[in-house]
Amino acid sequence: MAGSGRLTREFFARDAIVVAPELLNLVLVGRGAAGRIVEAEAYGGELDAASHAYRGATRRNATMFGPPGHLYVYFTYGMHHCANVVCGPEGVARAVLIRALAPLRGLGAMRRRRGGHLSDVELCSGPAKLCQALGIDRADDGADLVSGGGLALVDDATPPPADPRCGRRVGLSARTGEAAVHPWRFAVPGDPNVSAAGWALE
DNA sequence: GGGGGGATTCGG
DNA sequence: CGAATCCCCCCG
């Protein structure tokens, strides 16, 4: 294994489809809490009808076109935030959506931000849930995960699974056409924070 | 300047 | 299964 600590900018500068399975088991730290990434999806920019960057740069997706290793946060359905790790070289819009975390530390803070009396698995088992649990919103769009202060992505020497679960991405509308069939969703096999549904490859 | 849709979640 | 409920994008 390659030691522990912060990751390099070069780690994120590769294509999202390469980085996505390697994000599994890395730890997202911040806001008095931490969670291990157990589910992630790659998005392929202008080549991918399901990507926010499919039709080029806009104010909303600008962070995806910036340098790798930053966080692209977007607001959706009028009430939810989702967080992506920007990949690829600067100017190339690639990203990996973080879909689930295994809570590691600060479960009290997570539970307070999520509200209600939730089980551990209910805290971060979804892309909008984990943002709420860590207090991530649009103000965090562009945050630097490599050298920033508030949020960081670190390697705690837990390697990614040798046999990650792979399947279709979640929640894509029929309009995205064949982009929906790509097996660009990855997860840690057997982790209870990963939803069981939607893994069909055909 | 207006309307439709969205990488979701939760409750009925 | 529909509501919640905002931002962005496209079209006129």
Side-chain angles (χ1 to χ4, degrees), chain A residues 131-149:
Chain A
C131 282
Q132 187 178 31
L134 290 185
I136 293 171
D137 60 24
R138 260 189 79 77
D140 298 301
D141 184 39
D144 186 358
L145 299 170
V146 174
S147 61

Side-chain angles (χ1 to χ4, degrees), chain A residues 58 80 97 99 101 104 115 119 129 144-145 170 178 182:
Chain A
T58 65
H80 295 302
L97 173 68
R99 289 200 56 89
L101 302 177
L104 289 180
S119 70
K129 294 180 190 177
D144 186 358
L145 299 170
V170 176
E178 65 182 42
H182 295 307

Side-chain angles (χ1 to χ4, degrees), chain A residues 12-108:
Chain A
F12 299 105
R14 298 167 298 154
D15 200 271
I17 193 63
V18 175
V19 174
E22 297 186 22
L23 287 188
L24 297 178
N25 282 335
L26 294 179
V27 178
L28 184 59
V29 183
R31 311 286 151 74
R36 188 180 306 284
I37 296 176
V38 292
E39 184 178 353
E41 284 178 355
Y43 283 85
E46 76 284 0
L47 306 176
D48 180 3
S51 170
H52 290 170
Y54 184 54
R55 291 181 170 81
T58 65
R59 188 166 77 249
R60 174 209 207 187
N61 65 26
T63 298
M64 260 199 287
F65 289 84
H70 291 247
L71 202 62
Y72 165 53
V73 180
Y74 66 89
F75 185 80
T76 191
Y77 293 104
M79 53 196 315
H80 295 302
H81 298 272
C82 293
N84 304 254
V85 179
V86 175
C87 298
E90 183 162 5
V92 176
R94 298 290 184 273
V96 179
L97 173 68
I98 305 174
R99 289 200 56 89
L101 302 177
L104 289 180
R105 296 194 300 278
L107 274 69

Side-chain angles (χ1 to χ4, degrees), chain A residues 101-183:
Chain A
L101 302 177
L104 289 180
R105 296 194 300 278
L107 274 69
M110 289 182 178
R111 199 163 271 117
R112 185 163 58 250
R113 284 185 286 248
R114 289 274 291 127
H117 301 275
L118 301 176
S119 70
D120 291 1
V121 159
E122 289 171 306
L123 292 175
C124 297
S125 54
K129 294 180 190 177
L130 68 92
C131 282
Q132 187 178 31
L134 290 185
I136 293 171
D137 60 24
R138 260 189 79 77
D140 298 301
D141 184 39
D144 186 358
L145 299 170
V146 174
S147 61
L151 294 166
L153 199 51
V154 303
D155 176 4
D156 74 345
T158 305
D163 57 341
R165 193 163 191 198
C166 305
R168 285 187 181 199
R169 295 175 293 179
V170 176
L172 307 187
S173 73
R175 249 198 57 270
T176 58
E178 65 182 42
V181 308
H182 295 307

Side-chain angles (χ1 to χ4, degrees), chain A residues 4-19:
Chain A
S4 59
R6 296 277 186 142
L7 294 135
T8 65
R9 193 77 60 196
E10 290 71 29
F11 175 86
F12 299 105
R14 298 167 298 154
D15 200 271
I17 193 63
V18 175
V19 174

